[in-house]
Coordinates of all heavy atoms in Angstrom, one line a residue:
W254 N -37.7 -101.6 31.4 CA -39.2 -101.7 31.3 C -39.8 -102.1 32.6 O -39.3 -102.8 33.4 CB -39.3 -103.0 30.4 CG -39.0 -102.8 28.9 CD1 -37.8 -103.0 28.3 CD2 -39.9 -102.1 28.0 NE1 -37.9 -102.5 27.0 CE2 -39.2 -102.0 26.9 CE3 -41.3 -101.7 28.0 CZ2 -39.7 -101.5 25.6 CZ3 -41.8 -101.3 27.0 CH2 -41.0 -101.2 25.7
Y255 N -41.0 -101.5 32.8 CA -41.9 -101.7 33.9 C -43.2 -102.4 33.3 O -43.5 -102.3 32.2 CB -42.3 -100.5 34.6 CG -41.0 -99.6 35.2 CD1 -40.2 -98.9 34.3 CD2 -40.8 -99.7 36.6 CE1 -39.0 -98.3 34.8 CE2 -39.7 -99.1 37.0 CZ -38.9 -98.4 36.2 OH -37.8 -97.6 36.7
R256 N -44.0 -102.9 34.3 CA -45.3 -103.3 33.8 C -46.3 -103.1 35.0 O -45.8 -103.0 36.2 CB -45.4 -104.7 33.4 CG -45.1 -105.8 34.6 CD -45.0 -107.1 34.0 NE -44.8 -108.2 35.0 CZ -44.5 -109.4 34.7 NH1 -44.4 -109.9 33.4 NH2 -44.3 -110.2 35.6
Q257 N -47.5 -102.8 34.7 CA -48.6 -102.6 35.7 C -49.8 -103.5 35.3 O -50.5 -103.2 34.4 CB -49.0 -101.2 35.9 CG -49.9 -100.9 36.9 CD -49.9 -99.4 37.3 OE1 -49.7 -98.6 36.7 NE2 -50.4 -99.1 38.5
A258 N -50.2 -104.5 36.2 CA -51.4 -105.2 35.9 C -52.5 -104.7 36.7 O -52.3 -103.7 37.5 CB -51.1 -106.7 36.4
P259 N -53.7 -104.9 36.2 CA -54.9 -104.2 36.8 C -54.9 -104.5 38.2 O -54.7 -105.6 38.9 CB -56.0 -105.1 36.2 CG -55.6 -105.4 34.9 CD -54.1 -105.8 35.1
G260 N -55.2 -103.5 39.1 CA -55.2 -103.6 40.5 C -53.9 -103.8 41.3 O -53.9 -103.9 42.4
K261 N -52.8 -103.6 40.5 CA -51.6 -103.9 41.1 C -50.7 -102.7 40.9 O -50.9 -101.8 40.0 CB -50.8 -105.2 40.5 CG -51.6 -106.4 40.8 CD -50.7 -107.6 40.4 CE -51.4 -108.8 40.7 NZ -50.7 -110.1 40.4
Q262 N -49.6 -102.5 41.7 CA -48.7 -101.5 41.6 C -47.8 -101.7 40.3 O -47.5 -102.9 40.0 CB -47.8 -101.3 42.8 CG -48.4 -100.8 44.0 CD -47.5 -100.3 45.1 OE1 -46.6 -101.0 45.3 NE2 -47.9 -99.5 45.9
R263 N -47.1 -100.8 39.8 CA -46.1 -100.8 38.8 C -44.9 -101.6 39.2 O -44.5 -101.3 40.3 CB -45.9 -99.5 38.2 CG -44.8 -99.5 37.0 CD -44.7 -98.0 36.4 NE -46.0 -97.5 36.0 CZ -46.3 -96.3 35.8 NH1 -45.5 -95.3 36.2 NH2 -47.5 -95.9 35.2
E264 N -44.3 -102.6 38.5 CA -43.3 -103.2 38.9 C -42.1 -103.3 37.9 O -42.4 -103.1 36.6 CB -43.6 -104.7 39.2 CG -44.0 -105.6 37.9 CD -44.2 -107.0 38.3 OE1 -43.6 -107.4 39.3 OE2 -45.0 -107.7 37.5
L265 N -40.9 -103.2 38.3 CA -39.8 -103.2 37.4 C -39.6 -104.7 36.8 O -39.6 -105.7 37.5 CB -38.5 -102.9 38.2 CG -37.2 -102.9 37.5 CD1 -37.3 -101.7 36.4 CD2 -36.0 -102.6 38.5
V266 N -39.4 -104.6 35.6 CA -39.3 -106.0 34.8 C -37.8 -106.3 34.4 O -37.5 -107.4 34.6 CB -40.2 -106.0 33.5 CG1 -39.9 -107.3 32.7 CG2 -41.6 -105.8 33.9
A267 N -37.3 -105.3 33.9 CA -35.8 -105.5 33.3 C -35.2 -104.0 33.2 O -35.9 -103.1 33.0 CB -35.9 -106.2 32.0
T268 N -33.9 -104.1 33.4 CA -33.1 -102.9 33.2 C -31.9 -103.2 32.2 O -31.5 -104.4 32.1 CB -32.6 -102.4 34.5 OG1 -31.4 -103.2 35.0 CG2 -33.6 -102.2 35.6
I269 N -31.3 -102.2 31.7 CA -30.2 -102.4 30.8 C -29.3 -101.1 30.9 O -29.8 -99.9 30.8 CB -30.6 -102.6 29.4 CG1 -29.2 -102.9 28.7 CG2 -31.3 -101.5 28.8 CD1 -29.6 -103.7 27.3
T270 N -28.0 -101.2 31.2 CA -27.2 -100.1 31.4 C -26.7 -99.5 30.1 O -27.1 -100.1 29.1 CB -25.8 -100.7 32.2 OG1 -25.1 -101.5 31.3 CG2 -26.1 -101.2 33.5
S271 N -26.2 -98.4 30.2 CA -25.8 -97.8 28.9 C -24.8 -98.7 28.1 O -24.8 -98.5 26.9 CB -25.1 -96.4 29.2 OG -23.9 -96.6 30.2
G272 N -24.1 -99.5 28.7 CA -23.2 -100.4 28.2 C -23.7 -101.7 27.7 O -23.0 -102.6 27.1
G273 N -25.1 -101.8 28.0 CA -25.7 -103.0 27.6 C -25.9 -104.2 28.6 O -26.2 -105.3 28.1
N274 N -25.5 -104.0 29.8 CA -25.8 -105.0 30.7 C -27.0 -105.0 31.4 O -27.6 -104.1 31.9 CB -24.6 -104.8 31.9 CG -23.3 -104.9 31.5 OD1 -22.9 -105.9 30.7 ND2 -22.5 -103.9 31.8
P275 N -27.8 -106.3 31.2 CA -29.1 -106.5 31.6 C -29.4 -107.0 33.1 O -28.3 -107.7 33.5 CB -29.6 -107.3 30.6 CG -28.6 -108.4 30.4 CD -27.2 -107.5 30.6
T276 N -30.4 -106.7 33.6 CA -30.9 -107.3 34.8 C -32.3 -107.7 34.6 O -33.0 -106.9 33.8 CB -30.7 -106.5 36.1 OG1 -31.5 -105.5 36.0 CG2 -29.2 -106.1 36.3
Y277 N -32.8 -108.7 35.3 CA -34.3 -109.1 35.1 C -34.8 -109.4 36.5 O -34.2 -109.9 37.4 CB -34.4 -110.3 34.3 CG -33.8 -110.2 33.0 CD1 -32.4 -110.5 32.6 CD2 -34.5 -109.6 32.0 CE1 -31.9 -110.4 31.3 CE2 -34.0 -109.4 30.7 CZ -32.7 -109.8 30.4 OH -32.1 -109.6 29.1
A278 N -36.3 -109.2 36.5 CA -37.0 -109.7 37.7 C -36.9 -111.1 37.6 O -37.0 -111.8 36.6 CB -38.4 -109.1 37.6
D279 N -37.1 -111.8 38.8 CA -37.1 -113.3 38.8 C -38.2 -113.8 38.0 O -38.0 -115.0 37.4 CB -37.2 -113.7 40.3 CG -35.9 -113.5 41.1 OD1 -34.8 -113.2 40.5 OD2 -36.0 -113.5 42.4
S280 N -39.3 -113.1 38.0 CA -40.5 -113.7 37.3 C -40.4 -113.7 35.8 O -41.0 -114.5 35.1 CB -41.7 -112.8 37.7 OG -41.5 -111.4 37.2
V281 N -39.4 -113.0 35.2 CA -39.2 -113.0 33.8 C -37.9 -113.6 33.2 O -37.7 -113.7 32.1 CB -39.5 -111.6 33.2 CG1 -40.8 -111.1 33.6 CG2 -38.3 -110.6 33.5
A282 N -37.0 -113.8 34.3 CA -35.6 -114.3 33.9 C -35.6 -115.5 33.1 O -36.4 -116.4 33.5 CB -34.7 -114.5 35.1
G283 N -35.0 -115.7 32.1 CA -34.9 -116.7 31.2 C -35.9 -116.7 30.1 O -35.9 -117.5 29.1
R284 N -37.0 -115.8 30.1 CA -37.9 -115.7 29.2 C -37.9 -114.4 28.4 O -38.2 -114.4 27.2 CB -39.4 -115.9 29.8 CG -39.6 -117.1 30.6 CD -40.9 -117.3 30.9 NE -41.4 -116.3 32.1 CZ -42.5 -115.5 31.8 NH1 -43.1 -115.5 30.8 NH2 -42.8 -114.5 32.8
F285 N -37.6 -113.3 29.1 CA -37.6 -112.0 28.5 C -36.1 -111.5 28.3 O -35.2 -112.0 29.0 CB -38.1 -111.0 29.4 CG -39.6 -111.1 29.6 CD1 -40.3 -112.2 29.1 CD2 -40.3 -110.0 30.2 CE1 -41.8 -112.2 29.3 CE2 -41.8 -110.1 30.4 CZ -42.4 -111.2 30.0
T286 N -35.9 -110.8 27.1 CA -34.5 -110.2 26.9 C -34.7 -108.7 26.6 O -35.5 -108.3 25.6 CB -33.9 -111.0 25.6 OG1 -33.8 -112.3 26.0 CG2 -32.5 -110.4 25.4
I287 N -34.0 -107.9 27.3 CA -34.0 -106.6 27.0 C -32.7 -106.2 26.3 O -31.6 -106.6 26.3 CB -33.9 -105.8 28.5 CG1 -34.2 -104.2 28.2 CG2 -32.8 -105.9 29.3 CD1 -34.4 -103.4 29.5
S288 N -32.9 -105.2 25.4 CA -31.8 -104.8 24.6 C -32.0 -103.3 24.1 O -33.1 -102.6 24.5 CB -31.6 -105.6 23.2 OG -32.8 -105.4 22.5
R289 N -30.9 -102.7 23.6 CA -31.1 -101.3 23.3 C -30.2 -100.9 22.1 O -29.3 -101.6 21.8 CB -30.6 -100.4 24.5 CG -29.1 -100.5 24.9 CD -28.9 -99.7 26.2 NE -29.1 -98.2 26.1 CZ -29.3 -97.5 27.1 NH1 -29.2 -98.1 28.4 NH2 -29.3 -96.1 27.1
D290 N -30.6 -99.9 21.4 CA -29.9 -99.3 20.2 C -29.7 -97.8 20.5 O -30.6 -97.0 20.5 CB -30.6 -99.5 19.1 CG -29.8 -99.0 17.8 OD1 -28.9 -98.2 17.9 OD2 -30.0 -99.7 16.7
N291 N -28.5 -97.4 21.0 CA -28.2 -96.0 21.5 C -28.2 -95.0 20.4 O -28.7 -94.0 20.5 CB -26.9 -96.0 22.2 CG -26.9 -96.5 23.6 OD1 -28.0 -96.6 24.2 ND2 -25.7 -97.0 24.1
A292 N -27.9 -95.5 19.2 CA -27.9 -94.6 18.1 C -29.2 -94.3 17.6 O -29.6 -93.2 17.1 CB -27.2 -95.3 16.8
K293 N -30.1 -95.1 17.8 CA -31.6 -95.0 17.4 C -32.5 -94.5 18.6 O -33.5 -94.2 18.4 CB -32.3 -96.2 16.8 CG -31.6 -96.7 15.5 CD -32.3 -98.0 15.0 CE -31.7 -98.4 13.7 NZ -32.4 -99.6 13.1
K294 N -31.8 -94.5 19.8 CA -32.6 -94.1 21.0 C -33.7 -95.1 21.1 O -34.9 -94.6 21.5 CB -33.0 -92.7 21.0 CG -31.9 -91.7 21.1 CD -32.4 -90.2 21.2 CE -31.2 -89.3 21.3 NZ -31.7 -87.9 21.3
M295 N -33.6 -96.3 21.1 CA -34.5 -97.3 21.2 C -34.2 -98.3 22.3 O -32.9 -98.6 22.5 CB -34.7 -98.0 19.9 CG -35.2 -97.2 18.7 SD -37.0 -96.7 19.0 CE -37.8 -98.3 18.8
V296 N -35.2 -98.8 23.0 CA -35.0 -100.0 23.9 C -36.2 -101.0 23.6 O -37.2 -100.6 23.3 CB -35.0 -99.6 25.5 CG1 -36.3 -98.9 25.8 CG2 -34.7 -100.6 26.4
Y297 N -35.8 -102.3 23.7 CA -36.6 -103.4 23.2 C -36.9 -104.3 24.5 O -35.9 -104.4 25.3 CB -35.9 -104.2 22.0 CG -35.7 -103.1 21.0 CD1 -34.3 -102.6 20.8 CD2 -36.7 -102.8 20.0 CE1 -34.0 -101.9 19.7 CE2 -36.4 -101.9 18.9 CZ -35.0 -101.5 18.9 OH -34.7 -100.6 17.7
L298 N -37.9 -105.0 24.3 CA -38.2 -106.2 25.2 C -38.7 -107.5 24.4 O -39.9 -107.3 23.9 CB -39.1 -105.8 26.4 CG -39.2 -106.8 27.5 CD1 -38.0 -107.0 28.3 CD2 -40.4 -106.5 28.4
Q299 N -37.9 -108.3 24.2 CA -38.2 -109.6 23.6 C -38.8 -110.5 24.6 O -38.2 -110.8 25.7 CB -37.2 -110.3 22.9 CG -37.4 -111.5 22.3 CD -38.5 -111.5 21.2 OE1 -38.2 -110.6 20.3 NE2 -39.5 -112.3 21.1
M300 N -40.1 -110.9 24.5 CA -40.8 -111.6 25.5 C -41.2 -113.0 24.9 O -41.9 -113.1 23.9 CB -42.0 -111.0 26.1 CG -41.7 -109.6 26.6 SD -43.2 -108.7 27.3 CE -44.4 -108.6 25.8
N301 N -40.7 -114.1 25.5 CA -40.9 -115.4 25.0 C -41.6 -116.2 26.0 O -41.6 -116.0 27.3 CB -39.7 -116.1 24.5 CG -39.0 -115.5 23.5 OD1 -39.6 -114.7 22.5 ND2 -37.6 -115.5 23.3

């Protein structure tokens, strides 16, 4: 997942490997959760 705020460059927010291992930008770590469903070809971002 990436995001782009007005007037700013696109930035990487979170990644998830094919096996489900996540990484997060420092700015969202502990608040956002990335997940995926390979069978449905879906990726999700829960933002709290």
Side-chain angles (χ1 to χ4, degrees):
W254 282 98
Y255 298 79
R256 67 186 180 187
Q257 187 167 19
K261 295 187 177 181
Q262 288 191 333
R263 187 173 292 159
E264 64 172 342
L265 181 65
V266 173
T268 70
I269 186 165
T270 67
S271 57
N274 294 314
T276 65
Y277 300 96
D279 289 344
S280 58
V281 307
R284 300 188 297 120
F285 290 11
T286 302
I287 188 171
S288 60
R289 66 189 294 163
D290 185 329
N291 287 337
K293 295 182 179 179
K294 296 187 178 183
M295 298 286 294
V296 60
Y297 306 99
L298 188 68
Q299 177 67 44
M300 307 186 296
N301 298 328

